[in-house]
Amino acid sequence: MSKFYDRKLCSAQTPQGTITLTGIFIPFFLEMFLMNFMGTVNTFMLSYFSDDAVAAVGAASQFAGMAVTFYAVIGTGASIVISHSLGAGNKEHASDAALTALIFGGLFSLLISIAASAFSKPFMLFMHLEGAVLCDAALYFKICMRFSFLQALISIIGSVFKSYGLPKISVSVSLGMNVINAFLNYLVIFHPSAAPLHGVSGIAWCNIISKAAGLCAMAFLLYRLPLGLDFKHSLPRCLHMLYPVLKTGIPGGISTLSYNISQTVTTSIIALSGPAAVSAKIYVSNLVFYVYVLGMSLGLSTSLMIGWLSGAGKFEQAYRLNLQNLKITLLLNSVLSALLFLFGHPLLSLFTADPAILKAGRSLLFLDIFVEIFRGFNHIEENSLRGAGDTVYPMAVSICSCWLMSVLFSYLLSVKAGLGLNGCWIAFAMDEAFRGIQYYFRWRSRKWMKKALA
């Protein structure tokens, strides 16, 4: 067991004391689990309304997620800069980076919110939606995007807390947001009493209300907790941190944006087969995310640890930690995705009774075993490279792979070869495999050691 897992690799020194990988991973996992659970609750409740409503909200949410990726540029960049600065013992730079992210991220996200909400219907037309599904999707997208700056500020403040070794705060806020969202969704969908919100628009407003409450809580805690943030004195000088924040954040943001756009394009390809195919994709995606969330949580935790270790110059510990966590992630993804396939039918039956959707979903869950195995490489290796400050190489690989593997082969296999949804999932596996292997060899080359920001 000692050869498989070395506990000594899983700790780092920060201004708040010794931080362990487990102490970071659990809050990361719970936060991502709860945030996805919010989406699953929406999908589950909407499935009682209609499968068309599920398709509308799912398509709009995917496009909205692409826009929110713009905001991740700020949070990701700030997190890396803060982690490296704290690892090097430079609290002043860490405070400056946090304030820079909040100011620039708030203004940037507000502009995106206004612009995106104004073009809601053209965006949804791109998804090949028609009729009532198009109208519902455009309405949901317009409402959610108008207030998307709330999510941007929540993400940025959450990144600050995590970089300072306090990820439990984001978990607590996410739990509160989920409770509020689930309660309001129940009122909107099942109408136990008279409520002013209805249907798809009501679900959108539930989402906004819960995020507004979450942002208020995050802002209050940021103000009250003794993190050593000196915003009063940081304000005149904080702009000098804008360049390193954007320099480290933009490549990762472009990479994630490219991936999300490619996924939106593949969803539009799937939509050519009709709303049932889109619904099947959304139901399966909701289920497999609970496999995805484990690997992603471990990847983000590894990234944060490697940021601290790189800032402190402990490169050998960072190198070995990455390889150890890769083995753990591959094992977890293999076992959990196989279990999900075995119990796929009863799980999918929770969302729909449509036999065509159930049959398609069962097939996708089998193919997804291979997707999740290769995705494990991406979760650990890509996040590790970003945490070390090596952001340009993963961006280049991601862009090439997303469009040459995921999008091109989704079209060739799904439309030209007539494999439908199965063809798209095969293309997803090809994309994950190509990116993961490239990132793995990049890490083994140790070229990332030259990228430490501190």
Side-chain angles (χ1 to χ4, degrees), residues 2 29 31-32 43 47 69 86 115 147 154 222 226 245 260 329 340 362 409 413 439:
S2 61
F29 170 74
E31 181 186 8
M32 293 188 69
T43 303
S47 66
T69 301
L86 293 176
F147 297 92
I154 289 173
L222 184 67
V245 167
N260 285 345
T329 302
L340 192 59
R362 173 78 171 169
F409 278 91
L413 296 175
Y439 298 149

Side-chain angles (χ1 to χ4, degrees), residues 57-228:
V57 172
S61 296
Q62 185 164 17
F63 225 111
M66 182 180 66
V68 171
T69 301
F70 279 111
Y71 313 149
V73 168
I74 312 301
T76 301
S79 179
I80 295 173
V81 173
I82 292 171
S83 297
H84 281 234
S85 298
L86 293 176
N90 195 332
K91 295 182 181 181
E92 182 180 295
H93 276 190
S95 180
D96 291 350
L99 182 58
T100 298
L102 287 170
I103 294 175
F104 185 78
L107 294 174
F108 182 65
S109 62
L110 183 60
L111 291 175
I112 295 295
S113 297
I114 295 171
S117 63
F119 296 97
S120 56
K121 191 166 185 179
F123 281 135
M124 293 303 99
L125 283 170
F126 178 78
M127 303 292 288
H128 300 294
L129 303 177
E130 298 177 347
V133 176
L134 172 61
C135 293
D136 285 343
L139 178 60
Y140 184 88
F141 182 81
K142 183 175 183 178
I143 295 172
C144 288
M145 285 310 303
R146 185 178 297 167
F147 297 92
S148 65
F149 64 89
L150 297 173
Q151 181 59 52
L153 291 172
I154 289 173
S155 298
I156 292 170
I157 298 175
S159 295
V160 173
F161 283 134
K162 291 165 187 171
S163 298
Y164 276 85
L166 298 172
K168 294 180 181 179
I169 293 175
S170 296
V171 177
S172 301
V173 173
S174 293
L175 178 59
M177 289 169 57
N178 271 274
V179 171
I180 294 172
N181 184 70
F183 175 71
L184 293 177
N185 279 350
Y186 175 77
L187 295 180
V188 169
I189 299 298
F190 297 103
H191 293 291
S193 60
L197 302 176
H198 305 278
V200 170
S201 64
I203 292 296
W205 280 109
C206 293
N207 186 280
I208 298 304
I209 293 170
S210 64
K211 286 181 178 177
L215 177 58
C216 289
M218 293 283 271
F220 175 77
L221 291 171
L222 184 67
Y223 174 75
R224 296 287 297 181
L225 291 176
L227 299 180

Side-chain angles (χ1 to χ4, degrees), residues 175-314:
L175 178 59
M177 289 169 57
N178 271 274
V179 171
I180 294 172
N181 184 70
F183 175 71
L184 293 177
N185 279 350
Y186 175 77
L187 295 180
V188 169
I189 299 298
F190 297 103
H191 293 291
S193 60
L197 302 176
H198 305 278
V200 170
S201 64
I203 292 296
W205 280 109
C206 293
N207 186 280
I208 298 304
I209 293 170
S210 64
K211 286 181 178 177
L215 177 58
C216 289
M218 293 283 271
F220 175 77
L221 291 171
L222 184 67
Y223 174 75
R224 296 287 297 181
L225 291 176
L227 299 180
L229 296 171
D230 187 13
F231 285 171
K232 182 178 179 180
H233 294 94
S234 292
L235 187 58
R237 65 172 188 257
C238 71
L239 289 180
H240 81 281
M241 295 302 296
L242 183 58
Y243 175 71
V245 167
L246 294 180
K247 179 183 177 182
T248 55
I250 286 177
I254 292 176
S255 175
T256 307
L257 177 63
S258 175
Y259 178 79
N260 285 345
I261 293 176
S262 71
Q263 288 296 297
T264 303
V265 173
T266 56
T267 300
S268 71
I269 294 173
I270 291 170
L272 295 174
S273 301
V278 178
S279 296
K281 177 186 184 296
I282 293 166
Y283 292 141
V284 170
S285 296
N286 270 277
L287 291 178
V288 301
F289 188 86
Y290 293 99
V291 179
Y292 171 96
V293 71
L294 275 171
M296 190 62 179
S297 300
L298 188 54
L300 292 173
S301 304
T302 304
S303 176
L304 196 54
M305 288 284 294
I306 286 175
W308 286 326
L309 293 171
S310 296
K314 298 181 179 179

Side-chain angles (χ1 to χ4, degrees), residues 335-409:
V335 173
L336 293 176
S337 57
L339 288 174
L340 192 59
F341 167 68
L342 292 176
F343 296 96
H345 189 275
L347 290 172
L348 288 168
S349 298
L350 295 173
F351 297 98
T352 182
D354 189 320
I357 294 178
L358 290 174
K359 181 179 179 181
R362 173 78 171 169
S363 178
L364 294 182
L365 287 174
F366 172 73
L367 293 173
D368 194 70
I369 295 174
F370 303 97
V371 175
E372 301 308 323
I373 290 173
F374 290 120
R375 186 175 278 160
F377 281 92
N378 289 315
H379 283 158
I380 299 300
E381 303 306 324
E382 183 175 14
N383 283 298
S384 294
L385 291 171
R386 289 181 182 179
D390 187 4
T391 56
V392 175
Y393 180 82
M395 176 191 71
V397 171
S398 178
I399 292 174
C400 292
S401 182
C402 287
W403 294 97
L404 293 179
M405 295 290 179
S406 186
V407 174
L408 177 60
F409 278 91

Side-chain angles (χ1 to χ4, degrees), residues 20-89:
T20 64
L21 182 69
T22 303
I24 304 169
F25 166 75
I26 293 176
F28 262 120
F29 170 74
L30 290 175
E31 181 186 8
M32 293 188 69
F33 178 88
L34 291 171
M35 291 300 291
N36 187 69
F37 186 70
M38 182 186 294
T40 303
V41 168
N42 286 351
T43 303
F44 178 74
M45 291 186 178
L46 276 173
S47 66
Y48 281 85
F49 191 71
S50 75
D51 285 333
D52 283 351
V54 172
V57 172
S61 296
Q62 185 164 17
F63 225 111
M66 182 180 66
V68 171
T69 301
F70 279 111
Y71 313 149
V73 168
I74 312 301
T76 301
S79 179
I80 295 173
V81 173
I82 292 171
S83 297
H84 281 234
S85 298
L86 293 176

